[in-house]
Amino acid sequence: QVQLVESGGGLVQAGGSLRLSCAAVGSIFSINTMGWYRQAPGKQRELVATIISGGSTNYAGSVKGRFTISRDNAKNTVYLQMNSLKPEDTAVYYCSVQQTYVNYWGKGILVNVSS
C-alpha cells in the first residue's frame, strides 16, 4: 500500500508563490507517473501537471509558464512550484502517483489565492 503525504498549501495573495510537496511512503518499488490535480468549488477535478520517471512533464494550459513540477526519485517526492498565483488557482490540490498501473491519491491540500 502507498500513502501520500501532502504539504505546503495555504493562503496567499494574488501574484504570490507557494510550493507544494507530496511524499510517497509505504510499499514503494517503482513509481512511474507523479502528478498534481486540483478541484475548485463546484467544478470537476482537473489535471494541473504530471511528470514521469524519466523527467518529461505535462502541464495544463492554464498553468503553463507559471507552475513547475519536479520530483526527487530518491525521496519519492513530487513538488509543485506555483508562481504568479491567480484567484482562479484557488482549489484543493491533490497529489497522485502511479505504481504498477495503480493510481494512489493524497487527501488534498487547500490553496487559497486572495485578490
Side-chain angles (χ1 to χ4, degrees):
Q1 196 61 278
V2 175
Q3 294 82 41
L4 303 179
V5 181
E6 300 151 323
S7 62
L11 175 64
V12 64
Q13 287 189 331
S17 299
L18 282 175
R19 188 192 195 207
L20 304 182
S21 300
C22 172
V25 298
S27 301
I28 308 296
F29 47 88
S30 181
I31 293 177
N32 183 13
T33 304
M34 307 183 84
W36 291 93
Y37 294 73
R38 67 186 181 186
Q39 187 167 15
K43 296 188 177 181
Q44 291 188 329
R45 190 174 299 188
E46 63 177 2
L47 179 145
V48 176
T50 59
I51 182 168
I52 65 173
S53 56
S56 294
T57 58
N58 180 49
Y59 294 92
S62 60
V63 308
K64 198 171 292 186
R66 299 188 297 123
F67 292 9
T68 302
I69 190 170
S70 60
R71 63 190 284 173
D72 184 333
N73 291 329
K75 297 181 179 179
N76 297 313
T77 299
V78 62
Y79 306 95
L80 185 69
Q81 177 66 43
M82 304 185 292
N83 298 329
S84 302
L85 282 161
K86 304 175 181 180
E88 51 264 44
D89 294 317
T90 294
V92 176
Y93 285 68
Y94 296 90
C95 173
S96 176
V97 303
Q98 183 189 71
Q99 178 169 265
T100 57
Y101 307 108
V102 178
N103 289 309
Y104 299 91
W105 292 89
K107 294 181 179 180
I109 190 165
L110 177 64
V111 171
N112 192 347
V113 185
S114 62
S115 57

